[in-house]
Amino acid sequence: MPSPAGGPVAVAAASAAAAPALGISPDMYPTEDDLAYEEEILREPFKLKGWWRYLVARAAAPFAKRAVIYERALKALPGSYKLWHAYLRERLDHARPHPISHHAYASLNNTFERALATMHKMPRVWVLYLTSLLDQRLLTRARRAFDRALRALPVTQHDRIWPLYLRLASLPACPVETSLRVFRRYLQYDPSHAEDFIDFLISANRWQEAADRLASVLNDDGFRSVKGKTRHQLWLELCEILTKHADEVAGLKVDAILRGGIRKFTDEVGKLWTSLADYYVRRTLYEKARDVFEEGVASVMTVQEFSVVFEAYTQFEQSMLAAKLEAAEEEGAGSEGEEEAGRKNGMDKLSKKFLADCWLNDEDDTDLRLARFERLLDRRPELLSSVLLRQNPHNVEEWHRRVKLFEKDPTRQVATYVEAVKTVDPMKAAGKPHTLWVAFAKMYEKHNRLDSAEEIFKKATQVNYKAVDHLASIWCEWAEMELRHNNFDKAIELMRQATAEPSVEVKRRAAAEGDEPVQLKVHKSLKLWSFYVDLEESLGTLESTRAVYERILDLRIATPQIVLNYAYLLEENKYFEDAFKVYERGVKIFKYPHVKDIWVTYLTKFVRRYQRSKLERARELFDEAVKQAPPQEKKVLYLQYAKLEEDYGLAKRAMNVYDEAVRAVPNSEKMSMYEIYIARAAELFGVPRTRQIYEQAIESGLPDRDVMTMCMKFAELERNLGEIDRARAIYVHASNYADPNSHPEFWNKWNEFEIQHGNEDTFREMLRIKRTVAASRSQTHFILPEYLMQRDQRLNLDEAVDTLKRAGVPEDEMANLERQLAPGPSTAPPAPSTATAPVNRMMNFVSAGVQAQAESSSRQQQAAAANNEDIELPDESDEEEDGVQIAEKSVPAAVFGELGKRAAENREEESSGAQENEQLGALERIKRRRQ
């Protein structure tokens, strides 16, 4: 439908023609491109869609033209939040590059005001407006706008306004009173942010209100810090404000607040005490501050807190002294003017007349302050000791150290001891509480106050200690004090009183109460009885001493040493049978290992006393002793027993004792016991008697090394007796226990023996046995090439020939031996000689009873087979034994893995070289394998 008056085109042309006449830029008017949007908004001016499409299409147009479109749209749609918000954002962006004084900001603020006329319920519009006002630093207008926003918006949306409002209150240009009012209103809205208000008050130096707010926060048990601060941190902040700004804070009970913190926060006690003292110092109450310091050092519980308070205390006294010295220097210069003014004042003259000599009128207290400072430094060890005792008042060692601090002041020492014995609970004491009583009494003794010392000991014996030994030590120290002053009878009487057994009535009463004190147990104290018996031995009679010993034995508290001392006392007084009875009681009371010393002393004294007169009784004692003794303790007893038989009995019985001893002692001592046995048998019955002992020792199951050593000694014995074949047989037997690699001394000994007493056959047999033993003890086998086998065999042959030449063997015999042992490609090695067969068969040594027969048969066999080197072996039967045929199944090669493959290869190599190895001896094969 065509528009009236020619339509939009005619209107646009007419507007463009009239623009110069009105002074409006032609760019402000619609162009031909805008005709479509203009027609749309003319048709439907109250629809947002057409206006918004128009604005999007003209996004690149100048702001002035877009502002015209916005104004036209808002005139048609004044309640559109979308249009207002977009318009305000664009106006903000347009004004931001300009300075604050530019007229663009005035237009912006006017636009915000017009928008709020309809958009006053929209928090985002308020936020944009308030932020713009804050950036423009229009504090009054901003404050009023904030108030309007809070009144216009519901409470649920105030949380979007208050952060900006607090930002306004925190600006430096904002008056403090305004900021305070803002924060107070905010706390009414959200009390949880009291810390922000407190921080602002501290920054504004409003200490009174800051302290009040902190106190109210701490009094509120439901308060939770939004900044993560603990109540302890808040308390420390309050204490810091109260102490550092004491003159500006009033209305709070600072002393009560800080003392409450001291009771509640024990980990900051030192800091709180110093804060309280600092509070009084800032208020010029110096004496009160000194009292607080004294109370602090007297109540802290740790050394660290004590160090903090004491350091602050010393600094306070030092600063007081320095201030007084400075004041004295300043007063010295103006003293003349003060005297003239004093003459004019009659009251001053009168006061000086009456108070001139009074020390209270002395204003110069420099000496007093210096004395206080020095006294404080001198008191530090005492104060530190008090701290340690407050930590544990039952620490005995700390009480002793505290007493040493007052070595030059006996009165303080007495007071300390009295306090210590009253404070320390024996059941909780760390240390020995009886030492406090003993040291207390010794202090009186040192000053020749024996009556007071005895009174102290008497009170100490009535204390219920934790251990019986503590009470016994008190009685012993009391008696020792009497001995030092030559009161011997009183010392013995004290011991009788201490060791007296309580009555039945007293025991019954203690059992009914359920808590038996140590006073009812002290009569069984071994320490007490030992001291008592020493006193009786030194000062009493024999009968009284014996009575004490008997009482100890009856109470069954004796030790082996007490038994020995009792017996020794009786022996000194010629009561030998009574002494032996004491020994008898001792061996019945104690068991091993404690009874060992009693048995050894008893047997020694008995043998020395009666010798051969009561031999049977001595034998019975020894039998009983060795019967009770464990194996590791029997050696000494058996040696004493054998010594008895050798000196006063029969040598044959002595040999029986030795024979029984070598069977009873443990394996670790058998070797030494056999050596003693052999030595005594050789001395008593001659060397031939030792053969049976050697044989017994070798067959007794000694360790291999001991068997080898015993065989070497046995062989040396036979060699000395001229029994060469017996010695050789012993060497052959001992070779089973001697590895050539680990026991070369045995083989060297045998080698020397063969060089001196053997021939080539025996020497060759020795070498063969050595190779056999080495092969049997070897755990690794190697295969050597043929030329290496021949080289090693040749070296061994040369070595053997040299050895025989040094031994004096004729040349023809050595040549024969060389031909027999030399390997060749066409000659097989000769068979072993039958001359060595007897030696080979005699793997064990030959008994002494058949030696002659063995030697004669050996000579006959050697004569019969002098040149016969062949060994007849029984024919092997080719017949197979009849039996059950068992089916065999081969194991898969995968089971053995790589080891199975290597084993198969080794078997193939061994089968291929079996023909060569048949011509080699055992030693050559071993050497070949090793190479």
Side-chain angles (χ1 to χ4, degrees):
M1 179 181 222
S3 58
V9 176
V11 172
S15 300
L22 298 176
I24 302 175
S25 175
D27 296 335
M28 299 291 102
Y29 289 92
T31 61
E32 293 183 359
D33 296 334
D34 301 334
L35 294 179
Y37 301 106
E38 289 289 345
E39 289 179 355
E40 182 178 3
I41 60 177
L42 285 175
R43 286 194 302 268
E44 296 177 346
F46 303 109
K47 284 190 177 181
L48 177 63
K49 185 176 181 181
W51 291 106
W52 193 255
R53 189 180 292 115
Y54 193 4
L55 291 170
V56 171
R58 295 294 169 260
F63 172 74
K65 185 174 182 179
R66 289 178 57 83
V68 171
I69 299 174
Y70 271 119
E71 291 290 346
R72 291 171 61 196
L74 290 172
K75 186 176 181 181
L77 299 171
S80 174
Y81 170 76
K82 187 173 183 180
L83 288 175
W84 277 116
H85 186 264
Y87 186 26
L88 294 174
R89 293 297 299 269
E90 287 196 25
R91 273 209 169 273
L92 278 172
D93 295 338
H94 174 68
R96 190 170 288 117
H98 302 290
I100 296 177
S101 59
H102 196 271
H103 64 84
Y105 280 99
S107 300
L108 174 64
N109 296 335
N110 187 25
T111 305
F112 271 115
E113 291 293 342
R114 290 191 293 114
L116 290 174
T118 55
M119 297 288 110
H120 58 278
K121 296 295 183 181
M122 299 299 173
R124 186 166 299 190
V125 176
W126 281 110
V127 169
L128 291 175
Y129 185 28
L130 297 174
T131 305
S132 175
L133 292 178
L134 287 177
D135 293 339
Q136 298 174 49
R137 293 297 188 268
L138 301 177
L139 300 182
T140 303
R141 187 170 184 176
R143 178 175 57 79
R144 293 173 179 173
F146 276 114
D147 293 339
R148 289 165 55 198
L150 292 175
R151 288 194 298 268
L153 294 174
V155 178
T156 55
Q157 295 180 349
H158 284 191
D159 57 334
R160 307 180 68 174
I161 305 300
W162 274 114
L164 297 175
Y165 207 172
L166 295 180
R167 178 182 164 190
L168 169 66
S170 301
L171 291 175
C174 183
V176 176
E177 288 298 330
T178 302
S179 300
L180 291 176
R181 293 173 183 269
V182 171
F183 273 106
R184 288 170 188 153
R185 288 179 60 190
Y186 177 60
L187 291 183
Q188 293 178 0
Y189 167 73
D190 188 2
S192 63
H193 288 75
E195 293 173 272
D196 297 331
F197 187 27
I198 294 172
D199 293 341
F200 172 76
L201 292 173
I202 293 174
S203 63
N205 297 330
R206 295 299 181 101
W207 307 111
Q208 179 66 49
E209 190 171 357
D212 294 338
R213 290 287 179 176
L214 271 174
S216 62
V217 164
L218 291 173
N219 291 330
D220 185 7
D221 295 334
F223 178 78
R224 295 293 181 270
S225 174
V226 295
K227 294 186 177 182
K229 292 183 179 181
T230 62
R231 297 182 67 84
H232 180 224
Q233 293 175 330
L234 295 175
W235 198 283
L236 292 180
E237 289 182 6
L238 176 60
C239 294
E240 185 176 1
I241 293 174
L242 294 177
T243 55
K244 291 186 177 180
H245 306 282
D247 297 335
E248 302 177 29
V249 177
L252 292 177
K253 297 180 180 180
V254 179
D255 189 278
I257 292 174
L258 292 178
R259 290 182 183 275
I262 291 170
R263 290 190 299 269
K264 191 172 183 179
F265 305 106
T266 57
D267 55 341
E268 293 287 346
V269 172
K271 185 176 181 180
L272 292 175
W273 278 116
T274 55
S275 299
L276 182 57
D278 189 22
Y279 167 74
Y280 285 114
V281 169
R282 292 179 183 275
R283 298 191 62 182
T284 66
L285 300 175
Y286 302 118
E287 293 299 328
K288 185 64 176 177
R290 185 176 289 106
D291 294 340
V292 170
F293 276 123
E294 287 291 339
E295 186 178 358
V297 296
S299 61
V300 292
M301 297 297 294
T302 64
V303 177
Q304 181 179 4
E305 294 167 355
F306 169 79
S307 300
V308 172
V309 179
F310 188 81
E311 183 67 23
Y313 194 5
T314 53
Q315 290 180 1
F316 166 73
E317 292 291 355
Q318 188 174 5
S319 61
M320 292 291 291
L321 179 60
K324 189 62 179 178
L325 293 176
E326 292 178 1
E329 292 178 357
E330 293 177 359
E331 290 176 359
S335 59
E336 296 179 358
E338 293 180 358
E339 289 179 0
E340 293 178 357
R343 294 190 189 97
K344 298 178 181 179
N345 193 340
M347 185 61 68
D348 291 343
K349 293 180 181 180
L350 184 62
S351 62
K352 288 183 179 181
K353 179 179 180 181
F354 290 102
L355 302 176
D357 298 331
C358 182
W359 63 274
L360 290 173
N361 194 41
D362 187 7
E363 296 181 357
D364 187 9
D365 58 348
T366 306
D367 296 337
L368 177 60
R369 298 189 182 190
L370 181 60
R372 281 176 175 172
F373 182 63
E374 293 176 351
R375 172 62 178 161
L376 178 62
L377 296 179
D378 294 339
R379 288 171 54 208
R380 190 181 191 283
E382 179 185 352
L383 295 174
L384 182 58
S385 176
S386 300
V387 173
L388 297 176
L389 288 176
R390 281 194 294 274
Q391 293 178 356
N392 183 11
H394 308 290
N395 190 346
V396 177
E397 293 300 325
E398 186 58 37
W399 280 110
H400 284 298
R401 287 193 287 268
R402 185 176 180 84
V403 171
K404 291 182 181 179
L405 297 176
F406 311 122
E407 289 180 346
K408 298 180 180 180
D409 190 354
T411 305
R412 294 291 301 277
Q413 284 186 327
V414 172
T416 304
Y417 275 124
V418 171
E419 184 182 1
V421 297
K422 287 182 179 180
T423 304
V424 176
D425 186 357
M427 297 300 175
K428 302 178 182 178
K432 299 179 179 180
H434 70 279
T435 56
L436 291 173
W437 291 97
V438 173
F440 194 8
K442 285 185 176 180
M443 190 198 69
Y444 277 114
E445 181 189 1
K446 182 179 178 181
H447 293 83
N448 297 324
R449 297 280 301 278
L450 294 183
D451 52 345
S452 300
E454 291 176 357
E455 187 67 24
I456 295 299
F457 276 121
K458 185 176 180 180
K459 291 181 179 180
T461 57
Q462 299 173 2
V463 177
N464 186 16
Y465 297 98
K466 188 176 182 180
V468 177
D469 189 63
H470 296 169
L471 181 57
S473 300
I474 292 290
W475 284 107
C476 294
E477 290 289 345
W478 192 357
E480 286 182 358
M481 185 189 72
E482 299 295 345
L483 291 176
R484 286 193 293 269
H485 296 276
N486 299 325
N487 298 329
F488 304 121
D489 295 337
K490 190 169 184 179
I492 295 177
E493 183 61 29
L494 285 173
M495 287 297 100
R496 289 174 184 168
Q497 180 182 352
T499 55
E501 186 174 359
S503 62
V504 178
E505 182 64 26
V506 174
K507 291 183 178 179
R508 186 182 299 112
R509 191 183 306 114
E513 294 177 357
D515 186 12
E516 186 178 4
V518 293
Q519 281 76 10
L520 300 182
K521 306 174 186 177
V522 73
H523 69 283
K524 291 186 177 181
S525 172
L526 179 60
K527 181 177 183 179
L528 204 59
W529 281 103
S530 300
F531 188 81
Y532 187 15
V533 78
D534 289 342
L535 284 182
E536 289 291 350
E537 286 187 19
S538 303
L539 305 174
T541 62
L542 177 62
E543 288 74 14
S544 63
T545 307
R546 290 188 64 176
V548 174
Y549 273 118
E550 291 294 334
R551 182 59 178 161
I552 294 174
L553 295 175
D554 293 340
L555 291 174
R556 303 185 69 83
I557 60 174
T559 61
Q561 188 61 44
I562 288 180
V563 173
L564 295 176
N565 294 342
Y566 188 16
Y568 182 72
L569 173 68
L570 295 175
E571 290 174 8
E572 281 186 336
N573 292 275
K574 310 301 181 183
Y575 291 93
F576 296 103
E577 282 299 328
D578 292 342
F580 294 147
K581 290 179 181 179
V582 172
Y583 285 126
E584 290 286 347
R585 293 177 66 180
V587 297
K588 290 179 181 178
I589 294 174
F590 300 102
K591 303 298 180 182
Y592 269 92
H594 309 291
V595 78
K596 176 183 177 181
D597 294 335
I598 299 178
W599 269 120
V600 172
T601 307
Y602 183 19
L603 296 173
T604 303
K605 297 291 183 65
F606 189 87
V607 172
R608 186 185 303 165
R609 171 67 180 168
Y610 294 107
Q611 297 181 356
R612 67 178 71 251
S613 59
K614 292 186 178 182
L615 189 58
E616 288 301 325
R617 182 180 172 186
R619 287 171 177 168
E620 292 176 358
L621 290 176
F622 274 107
D623 290 338
E624 182 67 20
V626 297
K627 181 180 178 181
Q628 295 183 6
Q632 61 271 16
E633 302 291 348
K634 289 184 177 182
K635 181 178 178 181
V636 177
L637 297 176
Y638 273 117
L639 292 178
Q640 283 187 282
Y641 195 2
K643 181 66 175 175
L644 170 69
E645 294 293 347
E646 291 178 11
D647 294 342
Y648 309 110
L650 301 176
K652 183 177 180 181
R653 291 183 67 90
M655 292 297 102
N656 293 336
V657 172
Y658 282 121
D659 185 69
E660 183 181 351
V662 296
R663 290 182 174 87
V665 297
N667 293 334
S668 60
E669 297 180 352
K670 280 188 177 181
M671 184 65 183
S672 60
M673 198 69 215
Y674 269 115
E675 291 176 350
I676 298 173
Y677 186 11
I678 292 170
R680 300 308 301 160
E683 183 178 351
L684 297 175
F685 294 97
V687 176
R689 175 69 174 80
T690 61
R691 286 175 172 170
Q692 296 179 358
I693 304 174
Y694 275 116
E695 294 173 6
Q696 177 185 346
I698 294 172
E699 295 176 350
S700 64
L702 291 172
D704 291 352
R705 189 172 187 85
D706 294 341
V707 172
M708 183 188 66
T709 304
M710 192 62 70
C711 289
M712 293 174 65
K713 293 182 179 181
F714 192 11
E716 185 66 20
L717 171 67
E718 295 293 351
R719 187 184 69 81
N720 293 334
L721 294 176
E723 300 292 344
I724 304 303
D725 291 338
R726 286 177 58 82
R728 184 176 292 109
I730 294 170
Y731 276 119
V732 172
H733 176 74
S735 64
N736 297 322
Y737 307 97
D739 187 0
N741 297 324
S742 57
H743 303 96
E745 66 278 1
F746 170 79
W747 297 98
N748 294 335
K749 189 74 174 178
W750 193 2
N751 187 53
E752 295 176 359
F753 171 80
E754 293 296 343
I755 291 175
Q756 295 179 5
H757 305 287
N759 51 36
E760 65 255 35
D761 294 335
T762 58
F763 192 85
R764 185 171 57 185
E765 180 65 16
M766 185 267 293
L767 293 178
R768 186 191 68 78
I769 294 174
K770 183 177 181 181
R771 292 193 300 269
T772 303
V773 172
S776 64
R777 293 180 180 271
S778 176
Q779 297 180 356
T780 308
H781 301 278
F782 301 95
I783 299 178
L784 299 179
E786 181 65 24
Y787 73 93
L788 292 178
M789 290 286 293
Q790 294 180 1
R791 186 190 66 180
D792 293 341
Q793 186 176 5
R794 185 65 186 175
L795 292 176
N796 293 335
L797 179 61
D798 295 341
E799 181 180 357
V801 170
D802 294 339
T803 303
L804 293 175
K805 185 182 295 183
R806 291 194 300 270
V809 180
E811 293 290 340
D812 53 352
E813 296 183 3
M814 288 190 291
N816 186 19
L817 176 62
E818 185 175 358
R819 285 192 302 273
Q820 292 176 358
L821 295 180
S826 61
T827 61
S833 174
T834 58
T836 62
V839 180
N840 294 337
R841 289 193 297 270
M842 188 166 43
M843 294 306 295
N844 201 344
F845 54 83
V846 182
S847 177
V850 296
Q851 179 64 27
Q853 181 179 358
E855 291 178 356
S856 60
S857 61
S858 176
R859 295 192 190 97
Q860 292 175 4
Q861 291 175 3
Q862 291 178 2
N867 297 321
N868 187 9
E869 296 179 356
D870 297 331
I871 299 176
E872 296 181 0
L873 298 175
D875 296 336
E876 295 182 357
S877 176
D878 295 332
E879 298 178 0
E880 296 180 357
E881 295 180 0
D882 297 334
V884 180
Q885 298 295 329
I886 301 175
E888 296 182 357
K889 185 177 181 180
S890 61
V891 180
V895 174
F896 300 99
E898 187 66 21
L899 296 177
K901 295 180 181 179
R902 292 182 182 177
E905 293 175 359
N906 292 337
R907 285 196 298 271
E908 291 178 1
E909 292 177 2
E910 290 178 358
S911 61
S912 62
Q915 188 66 27
E916 297 177 358
N917 293 338
E918 290 179 356
Q919 305 299 327
L920 302 177
L923 180 61
E924 287 76 11
R925 289 197 298 273
I926 292 171
K927 290 184 177 180
R928 184 173 178 180
R929 291 190 184 97
R930 289 180 178 176
Q931 292 295 331

